Amino acid sequence: FNAVKELEMYAATKPSLVAQAPKTLPKDAAAQFGQLYTYYNGRVCPLQTVAKDFTMKLYGKPAYQGLTAEQVFTGWVFFPTDWIDQPVIKVKGRVADILGIKGSYASYNQFHGTEGYKLEKYLRQIYTGENIDGERAIKEADEKMNILLMLFNGQMMKIYPYRDSTQVTWLSQGDNLPTDIPEEKGLFVKKSLDYVGELLWMKRYAELTDVIQKIRTYQQKEAAGMLPSDELFKAERLYNSAEQTRPLAMILMTIGLLTFIYYLYRWQHGKDVGTTVNITLNIALTATTLYLLFIIALRGYISGHLPLSNGFETMQFMSLCALLLTICLQRHYRLIMPFGLLLSGMTLLVAMMGEANPKISHLMPVLNSPLLSLHVSIIMMAYTLFALITFNSIFGLLVESRGSRVEGAQRSALSVTYSLLLLYPAVFCLAAGIFIGAIWANQSWGRYWGWDPKEVWALITLLVYAVPLHRNSIQWLRKPTFFHQYLILAFLTILMTYFGVNYFLGGMHSYA
């Protein structure tokens, strides 16, 4: 853990070779490491969680060349000189050119040359205020290198609890030990992982299992009463193994698009959807809804609060809302099936694009409020309804441009009716969500409304979507074509409220 400088020198002078299969622990032994407790992100959790976050952050996927996240993590811990040649660091944009590589994956070795750290001069320009091409990609790549340096320094393996007279402190092998720690405990903290490394080199895996169990026994004894329950620990390990949002997003989008094409084809030929297809889609829809509900509930149980605290969690919840609405409304509007599947897949994809399964963490006391959870839930339900209305309006324009003039007009008018039926509850949910948010703000911050950018754009969205409710008084909105076009453009206010404020305006709500 104290060999960072040696690794950098090794990386700079070692000739670039084709990466061989890296050394790592056997799958079972690595899984045992994953069952250790560790202090991470302000809470105690399985080391498996750290391994998964580490692998996702570096590689963008929870596994590497058939190796589990625990194998990747422990490989870096115990065989770092073997892993620095592995193309495991995902880079974007200009970074590949700076490193002199082809493709999207670089090795730790390729970040260093005879001139030193290749990103250093670009980072110096960024932090002195210069505008350079690829700034965000460079910062992201540097963050990944800092994660590796934290690992080399031992800061990602705080697996040794030490209880003094007042509290439990979690230590890593590389930390300076407390002055009052007993000698035998200090030796255990400093030497046990070194002994594990020796056993690995000698492939004495049976003895390795015993040492890992001794570390876990030490943890349970030293941090008694401060560790998560066995049920909570197992739930988090289950979540780490079962959470598969990325492939689910692609599957839902593919099925949704194919279903839309199929429904449109059947409608154009005056045929109803086949019974077999309808039953199959409903089975898939129900199974997906139950799975997503299980994953969200599991994440909420682990974190101790309703998982609506960041973009990933709110988009995941919006995906669930789309599926639930599809189940409830499909008998009255058949096209809700492809719309719901498409929307669910797109929101899950946006969740993964924003941040690949961000760390589970405890909320600040001011954010851990039932009113805030209710506020976010109702707002996300409104956004889901508005998104379904947008899909319906796009469909309305499509059918209006196809077929005979009379038939297209009739179908477009029918789409207007469906949009209005969804618009009333959507506007109500948005207004109710804003109102509940104001009550929570007064309880938490001492004011109902602060003209924060997110608040202002939520109000703009409400006013924009309230206009079509008065279509009988506005002549242009009585025309189906203009009505659909208006609702499609209105969705831009949703995008600005949810995404634009975060990226361009900031404010107190930029996390949401």
Side-chain angles (χ1 to χ4, degrees), residues 330-349:
Q330 61 169 314
R331 288 186 61 188
H332 304 284
Y333 184 35
R334 286 294 181 87
L335 274 171
I336 200 75
M337 176 69 79
F339 294 162
L341 292 171
L342 269 173
L343 178 59
S344 182
M346 290 173 66
T347 49
L348 284 180
L349 187 63

Side-chain angles (χ1 to χ4, degrees), residues 175-188:
D175 286 335
N176 294 323
L177 299 181
T179 55
D180 59 344
I181 190 172
E183 183 178 358
E184 65 276 10
K185 290 183 179 179
L187 285 173
F188 187 77

Side-chain angles (χ1 to χ4, degrees), residues 456-468:
V456 172
W457 272 98
L459 178 60
I460 292 172
T461 302
L462 178 64
L463 295 175
V464 167
Y465 273 103
V467 171

Side-chain angles (χ1 to χ4, degrees), residues 320-505:
L320 177 63
C321 290
L323 294 175
L324 292 173
L325 285 171
T326 302
I327 292 174
C328 295
L329 301 177
Q330 61 169 314
R331 288 186 61 188
H332 304 284
Y333 184 35
R334 286 294 181 87
L335 274 171
I336 200 75
M337 176 69 79
F339 294 162
L341 292 171
L342 269 173
L343 178 59
S344 182
M346 290 173 66
T347 49
L348 284 180
L349 187 63
V350 170
M352 298 308 300
M353 290 171 61
E355 186 172 1
N357 201 1
K359 305 177 187 70
I360 296 173
S361 61
H362 298 305
L363 284 180
M364 294 166 40
V366 71
L367 298 178
N368 196 7
S369 165
L371 278 176
L372 178 60
S373 298
L374 185 61
H375 158 69
V376 177
S377 301
I378 294 176
I379 290 287
M380 296 316 297
M381 180 60 74
Y383 287 175
T384 306
L385 288 167
F386 287 135
L388 290 173
I389 290 169
T390 304
F391 278 126
N392 185 63
S393 293
I394 293 172
F395 174 74
L397 293 179
L398 284 175
V399 297
E400 188 175 1
S401 63
R402 303 177 69 88
S404 65
R405 186 172 182 179
V406 175
E407 185 181 16
Q410 289 175 343
R411 290 178 176 176
S412 181
L414 184 60
S415 294
V416 170
T417 302
Y418 287 129
S419 289
L420 283 172
L421 289 173
L422 296 176
L423 189 60
Y424 282 100
V427 172
F428 173 79
C429 286
L430 182 58
I434 293 173
F435 181 76
I436 294 170
I439 296 174
W440 168 77
N442 184 57
Q443 289 185 357
S444 302
W445 312 108
R447 51 86 172 161
Y448 289 99
W449 191 269
W451 296 105
D452 182 79
K454 183 78 77 173
E455 296 171 350
V456 172
W457 272 98
L459 178 60
I460 292 172
T461 302
L462 178 64
L463 295 175
V464 167
Y465 273 103
V467 171
L469 298 179
H470 305 279
R471 65 187 299 263
N472 290 333
S473 303
I474 304 174
Q475 184 177 359
W476 287 358
L477 287 172
R478 294 180 209 160
K479 300 176 182 178
T481 302
F482 184 81
F483 182 81
H484 292 315
Q485 291 172 342
Y486 181 92
L487 287 176
I488 293 171
L489 293 175
F491 194 69
L492 295 177
T493 62
I494 299 287
L495 298 178
M496 182 63 192
T497 304
Y498 192 83
F499 298 106
V501 170
N502 296 355
Y503 289 106
F504 302 113
L505 300 180

Side-chain angles (χ1 to χ4, degrees), residues 37-53:
Y37 297 93
T38 187
Y39 187 77
Y40 176 63
N41 198 35
R43 66 189 185 94
V44 180
C45 65
L47 190 61
Q48 178 200 41
T49 299
V50 181
K52 183 179 179 182
D53 287 353

